[in-house]
Amino acid sequence: MFNPRKLPTVLYAEELLDKAFRRASKVSGRNKKERAINKLSTISNVLSDYFDKIIKAHPSYENLPDFYREMVDTVVGIRKLKKSLAALKWANSMCQKIITRSVRKIKGEGDIEGTLKAAYGRIASIINQIDEELRFLNEAKQKMGEIPIFKDLPTIVVAGYPNVGKSSFVAKVSNVKPEIAVYPFTTKKIFVGFVDLNGLKFQVVDTPGLLDRPIHKRNKIERRAILCLKHLADVVLFIIDPTESCGYPIESQMSLLREIEKELDVEVIPVYSKADLHNKRDLPAFSSVNGEGIYDILRIIKNKLNTKLRN
Ligand SMILES: Nc1nc2c(ncn2[C@@H]2O[C@H](COP(=O)(O)OP(=O)(O)OP(=O)(O)O)[C@@H](O)[C@H]2O)c(=O)[nH]1
Ligand SMILES: [Mg+2]
């Protein structure tokens, strides 16, 4: 199972060189020649163990399940990941070649000090050349850590315009506490919470707000929400704020609803939020402030899921 949190932390060029050279400085040998050879083989081991560990820890991104593959691609970029891993492989093989040649030279009665110094210099130069890739891989680990790991449970994805009350709903019904604020675009990551409704267990996914605009105009954060809708949702709970206190007109919210219903092959439940502030009841309405209607919404979700699970 893909778990980016288990990827190793990547050392930067300087740290890696420091580690390899420091280890090498501690080796012994019966004479100058043997010590030089031991130094080089220590560096060889440290580098190849290190690069192997990192390269092996990354999964084959093409073969990940659709959601994770597209999510990794949106969050960090699979091409760039692969390029960086290839750069590590290249650096390792270059260093190993330098080391093999230098050891041969030292064994063949070459200039020990000079050969060793030249080898250190060339290894440092190779490793420094991949510093950008090492930094990128470290950043990628951190960014991928934001990708939630889902359970194999029925999944409700909560979607809608920014600031309509999606996170407030998820916080109210599940065990997860996403950030809630008075301004739009508060939620930037995907949050997943778990609900146990009288024995029916499901997960509820909070997504970043979406605007009504074509997919190619969507930014990276919005695309994360789309991926959840596309790949994870058994049911979409589409939240509309009819008070427009979210800052967006109801027509735009309805237009987004129609777009999602048209594009996705999944059940969409439209509901009104902020029921404490209005009396519109032509759709199920709830309030995360006073709790009104929350249980009804959960019951509707439960019925939809039960129908779906039966079919
Ligand atoms: N009166 C009232 N205010 C609410 C209700 N639900 C949410 N709010 C307020 O609406 C604002 C937005 O709530 P969020 O839950 O952060 O909205 P969101 O849809 O997750 O917003 P983004 O993450 O930015 O897309 C906050 O100020 C909430 O306190 C509600 O039922 N009644
Ligand atoms: Mg939110």
Side-chain angles (χ1 to χ4, degrees):
M1 181 61 195
F2 173 59
N3 187 351
R5 287 162 197 80
K6 290 202 176 136
L7 289 173
T9 304
V10 183
L11 299 176
Y12 297 160
E14 206 182 300
E15 297 168 321
L16 178 57
L17 286 169
D18 216 48
K19 177 177 162 146
F21 292 167
R22 201 158 11 96
R23 280 276 183 86
S25 73
K26 292 190 186 132
V27 302
S28 51
R30 278 168 305 183
N31 51 45
K32 228 178 178 178
K33 191 187 227 176
E34 198 179 280
R35 215 163 32 247
I37 292 169
N38 288 347
K39 273 185 204 292
L40 288 172
S41 66
T42 300
I43 296 171
S44 159
N45 291 338
V46 171
L47 293 180
S48 67
D49 286 355
Y50 188 71
F51 288 129
D52 271 1
K53 182 176 89 177
I54 292 180
I55 291 164
K56 284 205 186 107
H58 284 265
S60 132
Y61 288 101
E62 272 85 8
N63 298 330
L64 286 179
D66 292 347
F67 171 76
Y68 291 109
R69 192 190 59 243
E70 289 191 37
M71 199 70 174
V72 170
D73 207 27
T74 304
V75 173
V76 287
I78 290 182
R79 255 173 71 113
K80 188 128 192 258
L81 265 173
K82 287 175 73 172
K83 242 179 102 183
S84 299
L85 291 169
L88 265 55
K89 230 177 180 165
W90 167 83
N92 189 36
S93 103
M94 290 299 285
C95 290
Q96 299 305 331
K97 268 187 209 151
I98 293 166
I99 291 169
T100 311
R101 257 187 249 135
S102 308
V103 167
R104 207 178 301 140
K105 218 165 167 185
I106 292 170
K107 279 186 180 159
E109 312 301 330
D111 162 20
I112 297 174
E113 285 298 326
T115 309
L116 199 59
K117 206 170 157 209
Y120 270 55
R122 292 181 63 198
I123 289 168
S125 145
I126 300 280
I127 301 293
N128 280 323
Q129 278 180 56
I130 59 160
D131 190 49
E132 203 183 303
E133 282 80 7
L134 293 169
R135 284 171 193 270
F136 169 76
L137 286 169
N138 219 13
E139 218 177 274
K141 171 190 159 66
Q142 257 137 39
K143 285 193 189 158
M144 285 195 279
E146 293 178 5
I147 300 175
I149 303 297
F150 292 96
K151 292 192 182 167
D152 192 15
L153 281 176
T155 306
I156 312 298
V157 176
V158 178
Y161 251 71
N163 221 15
V164 294
K166 300 178 297 298
S167 301
S168 302
F169 174 82
V170 172
K172 189 94 184 162
V173 302
S174 78
N175 62 340
V176 74
K177 296 289 165 254
E179 201 188 333
I180 293 165
V182 288
Y183 48 83
F185 301 106
T186 301
T187 303
K188 295 185 182 63
K189 301 181 204 168
I190 308 296
F191 287 88
V192 54
F194 300 97
V195 185
D196 185 338
L197 194 61
N198 309 327
L200 177 69
K201 289 190 173 64
F202 58 89
Q203 51 200 346
V204 47
V205 183
D206 183 23
T207 63
L210 286 169
L211 298 177
D212 181 31
R213 56 181 172 188
I215 180 82
H216 65 273
K217 293 222 171 122
R218 294 203 182 281
N219 61 31
K220 276 189 169 195
I221 293 171
E222 284 182 281
R223 268 187 247 150
R224 296 180 191 192
I226 298 281
L227 288 179
C228 290
L229 290 166
K230 211 164 98 182
H231 297 301
L232 295 173
D234 289 302
V235 169
V236 173
L237 186 74
F238 188 88
I239 298 188
I240 299 156
D241 171 5
T243 70
E244 301 183 347
S245 65
C246 59
Y248 302 97
I250 189 147
E251 293 77 35
S252 313
Q253 300 183 55
M254 295 311 257
S255 164
L256 175 65
L257 167 66
R258 284 192 294 275
E259 185 68 20
I260 286 179
E261 283 177 326
K262 197 174 83 193
E263 290 297 318
L264 298 175
D265 184 24
V266 51
E267 187 98 40
V268 181
I269 310 173
V271 295
Y272 288 141
S273 59
K274 309 186 184 174
D276 52 300
L277 300 179
H278 64 90
N279 293 316
K280 275 184 84 134
R281 295 295 182 268
D282 54 320
L283 288 176
F286 73 94
S287 164
S288 300
V289 169
N290 64 16
E292 177 194 337
I294 292 269
Y295 189 75
D296 296 326
I297 305 282
L298 286 175
R299 209 168 27 84
I300 297 169
I301 291 173
K302 188 176 174 177
N303 289 340
K304 292 275 188 231
L305 283 180
N306 277 334
T307 318
K308 203 177 158 167
L309 295 176
R310 258 185 258 121
N311 293 333

